[in-house]
Amino acid sequence: MPILSVSDLKVRYSTSGPEILKGISFDVEPDDFFAIIGPSGAGKSTLIRCINRLVKPTSGKIMLYGDDVLRLGARELRRVRRSTGMIFQEFNLVNRMSVMDNVLSGRLGHVGNLRALFRQFSRQDIARALSVLDRVGLSDHVDKRADELSGGQRQRVGIARALMQDPKLLLLDEPTSSLDPKISREVMALIVEIAKEYRVPVLCNIHDVKLAMEFCNKMIGLQDGVKMFDGPTSAMNEGKLNDIYAMEVL
Amino acid sequence: MASQDTLSVSEVTPERTWRRFKFPGSLYRYLGLLAAVAFLSLSVNYLNIPLDRFLGMFGRVGDLITDRYYPPDIEYVTDPDYIASVIETIQMAYLGALFGMLAAVPLGWFGAYNVSPSRRFIYPIARLLTMSARAVHETIWAILFVTILGFGMMAGVFALTMFCIGFAGKLFAEEIEAIDMGPVEAIRATGANEFKVMVYGIFPQVRVAFTGIGIYTWDVAFRAATVVGFFGAGGMGWYLKRNVLQIETQRVAAILLSIVVLVLISEAISAFARAKVAKAK
C-alpha cells in the first residue's frame, strides 16, 4: 500500500487566478526517493506544500498514512503534520534561537503547550536531539545561534529538525538550491543515507536534473501544472527531459 | 576600430524620450498637490489667524516669564509631598506600561493579519480593541476611569493601561506583520498548534523589537502620566492643576521645569536602553 497517494489534485490560489496544478496523480511507496523536477513555475513547490496542507488545494484527494488530508479537522491535520518532516530551500530556521532549540522544535507536535512555552523538553527528546545532531555532523555547534552557521550547516540543522519528528515521510522543497554545487552534493548524499537508515520515503522537489538523476529512484516531471513523466529514474531519458523543460537540458 | 560596435552617448537619437510620471498618473499627482495647497490656504483663511498677534508673541512670552513665572519656586518642588507624587507618577507609568503590554502582546499577535489564528473573527476583534484604545485620548481615559473608580492612582493606572494597549498593540502587530514567514511555515509543518507557532516561530523574531517598543512605551506612558493627574487620576498632575487654578505662577513654573527634567531623564534612559537592546541582535 502506498504511503502517499495523490489523485486529480488541482490548485488555484484565487478563484479568478490561473490553475497552478491541473489534476496531478501519483503514488509514493515506502522505499521511494521521489524527485519532482520541472522548470520554474511548473508548480513543484505548490505540489509539495499541498501534501501537508500548507497550501489548501482546490480539489482532488490526498491519502497520507491512510488519512484523507483534505478532509481532516485542525487537530487531525496537526497529527498528520507531526509525522511528516519537511526541509526547505531557505532552511527556515529560527535564526535567533540556538541550534539545539531549532532541532528540538521538531518535537513541538508531541509536547504540551506549557512545556513548549518554557522549553521543557523531555530527556528522551534531548537525547534524541543530540544523537541526531551527531548524525548530521553538528555535535560541535549545539549551542550556537542558527545564524552563526554556514549554509550547508544550516540545512543540516533543517534535516535534524525534520528527523526529530520521527517522520513517516520526508517532504523536501528544493533542499539544495541555496547551496553551492559541492555542498549540494554532500547534503543530498546525506539525505539519501539518512532516508535509508531511518527507512523513510522521500518526496523531493529539485531543479538540478543531474542531482535528481543521480540520487533519486523515481521521478515526476511537471510542466505548467501538468504531469509529463512518472516512473523510475532509469526510464528517464534526454528526449523526455527536453520535453519537460521545453529545451535541451543535458 | 573598436568603437564601431559600441554606441556613444552623443550618437543616440534625441527623439527617444521617457517620462517618470506618465499621463493619467501625472495629472492625478498635480491635482493632489493642488488640492493640498488649496486646503492649506482655505484652513489659514478660515482660522483667520491674525499675523500681527502671532508676530508679537515672542515679546509677550518674555514679559510673561519675567513678570510672573520667574523665579520658579524650586523649594516647592523639593517638598517631600511633591516628591512622593513624582514617585507615584513613575509607579503609575510603570504599572500602566506593564499591564498595557501584557495585554498588547496577545492583541498584537491576534491583530497581525499574516499570523492571526483566525482572520475572520479574532483579527477584526483584536484590531477593533486596539483601535478603540488608541482612538480615545489618555486624558479622556483618565476622566472616564476617575468617574468609574474615583480619584487616585488606580484610575491613573487604568487610563495608562488603555493608552499603552493602543500604543504598543499597534506597534507590536506591525512588527509581527513584517516577520519572515519561512520559519512560521516550518514550525507549522512540525504539527505545532498556533500557540506553539507563536512561541517558536514568531516571538523569537520580534523579541528584540518588542523590548525596544516596550521601553519606548514606558517612556511615552511616563509623559502621559504627568498629565492624567490633572483630572484627578493620581500623580504630579494634580499639583499642576491646583497651582494653575490658584494662579501660583512661580510654583507652576517650577512644576513645569521638574516635568521637563524628568521627561529628559526618562528619554535619556529609554534611548540608552533601546540602543543596548538594538545591539543585542
Side-chain angles (χ1 to χ4, degrees), chain A residues 49 52 54 78 81-82 84 86 88 92-94 96-97 101 105-106 108-109 111-113 116-117 119 121 145 161 165, chain B residues 180-197 199-201 204-209 280-281:
Chain A
R49 279 174 167 67
N52 60 357
L54 288 176
R78 289 201 295 271
R81 278 179 179 169
R82 80 180 183 203
T84 312
M86 196 160 183
F88 300 84
N92 287 357
L93 304 178
V94 181
R96 282 175 174 156
M97 288 201 310
D101 278 332
S105 67
L108 282 176
V111 301
N113 284 330
L117 179 61
R119 303 197 181 174
F121 290 90
R145 256 172 61 148
R161 176 173 63 190
Q165 291 178 239
Chain B
D180 176 8
M181 286 300 281
V184 174
E185 195 180 39
I187 299 292
R188 232 171 237 158
T190 66
N193 61 20
E194 288 303 303
F195 174 74
K196 294 174 198 163
V197 170
V199 176
Y200 282 78
Q205 293 196 56
V206 295
R207 196 183 59 222
V208 172
K281 288 186 275 186

Side-chain angles (χ1 to χ4, degrees), chain A residues 162-181:
Chain A
L163 285 180
M164 281 304 280
Q165 291 178 239
D166 203 0
K168 293 191 259 179
L169 173 71
L170 276 177
L171 301 173
L172 275 54
D173 185 25
E174 302 274 6
T176 61
S177 295
S178 303
L179 306 171
D180 73 29

